[in-house]
Amino acid sequence: MRRTSFANWPCTVARTMDLLGDWWTPLVLREAFYGVRKFDEFQQGLGIARTTLSDRLKTLVDEGLMEKRAYQTDPVRYDYVLTEKGTDFFPVLVAMMRWGDRWTTDESGPPVLVHHDRCGNVTEPDTHCTSCGERLRFEDTSMRMGPGYPAKLAKRPDIQERFARQAAKSRHGVRGIDQ
């Protein structure tokens, strides 16, 4: 079945959905916001087919949301790094979190919390920090494991590494991590 293209519609929501409207692309971007950069790490964290991941990363690079940076030459291997256009997607993911926290979580609470590193407080997923009122930006936030995070998953080394990256980002700022 062929998907209808919205690329030329006179509606920015439709054009955005044309670019990001499958379920894998926002999840690939979410992983990039967690600090994942290597193909195998994306693949392992998402459990996505390699061909599907390759296609999504190619689209994100072609559209300028990510860029490839060689980190090894023999054989050539790349990191996939968010660009300014990619980091501008952060408020969209936060809005999706906010909606999901309200409508898809149980009484245990949200699985992931947004920490506003600039003021040092956990905030509601929103466009502005609910503690200090400052606009939330990717560079100034880190994700923390929330009360609703499944205990079984929380023990996995890859999940622990994900949140350790976020803690390091919080301590050093996004520029403090090897970019």
Side-chain angles (χ1 to χ4, degrees):
M1 177 194 271
R2 204 163 218 215
R3 189 170 68 95
T4 301
S5 174
F6 301 125
N8 296 315
W9 279 36
C11 171
T12 56
V13 172
R15 291 194 303 256
T16 300
M17 291 308 297
D18 191 68
L19 173 63
L20 302 169
D22 70 276
W23 53 80
W24 287 116
T25 303
L27 294 176
V28 169
L29 287 167
R30 179 201 67 192
E31 293 299 299
F33 283 112
Y34 277 124
V36 172
R37 297 169 62 171
K38 295 178 177 23
F39 186 94
D40 290 340
E41 291 174 342
F42 282 107
Q43 200 275 325
Q44 178 187 4
L46 292 170
I48 185 175
R50 295 179 75 78
T51 53
T52 303
L53 177 58
S54 181
D55 180 57
R56 296 317 180 272
L57 287 169
K58 181 182 181 331
T59 297
L60 290 167
V61 168
D62 289 349
E63 292 294 331
L65 281 87
M66 298 181 92
E67 66 181 33
K68 287 170 64 171
R69 293 184 187 166
Y71 70 89
Q72 179 179 311
T73 56
D74 191 20
V76 177
R77 296 201 188 272
Y78 297 95
D79 279 338
Y80 293 86
V81 181
L82 289 165
T83 63
E84 179 183 1
K85 186 176 180 180
T87 59
D88 270 356
F89 191 73
F90 182 71
V92 177
L93 283 180
V94 170
M96 292 170 74
M97 273 180 78
R98 180 183 178 130
W99 188 90
D101 286 353
R102 180 169 182 198
W103 296 105
T104 69
T105 58
D106 59 23
E107 62 279 346
S108 63
V112 176
L113 302 173
V114 178
H115 184 264
H116 187 213
D117 301 333
R118 288 178 56 87
C119 76
N121 291 301
V122 170
T123 180
E124 298 293 320
D126 205 336
T127 57
H128 290 76
C129 178
T130 52
S131 292
C132 71
E134 188 176 294
R135 182 174 176 240
L136 291 180
R137 300 175 331 136
F138 164 64
E139 296 84 4
D140 302 328
T141 58
S142 56
M143 302 301 163
R144 306 286 171 92
M145 199 173 295
Y149 208 88
K152 183 177 179 180
L153 289 177
K155 295 175 184 174
R156 286 185 12 197
D158 59 316
I159 300 298
Q160 291 176 1
E161 173 63 25
R162 164 189 282 176
F163 288 103
R165 283 182 188 148
Q166 290 294 294
K169 178 185 172 205
S170 178
R171 284 191 307 274
H172 305 293
V174 71
R175 305 248 186 285
I177 297 173
D178 176 25
Q179 292 251 336

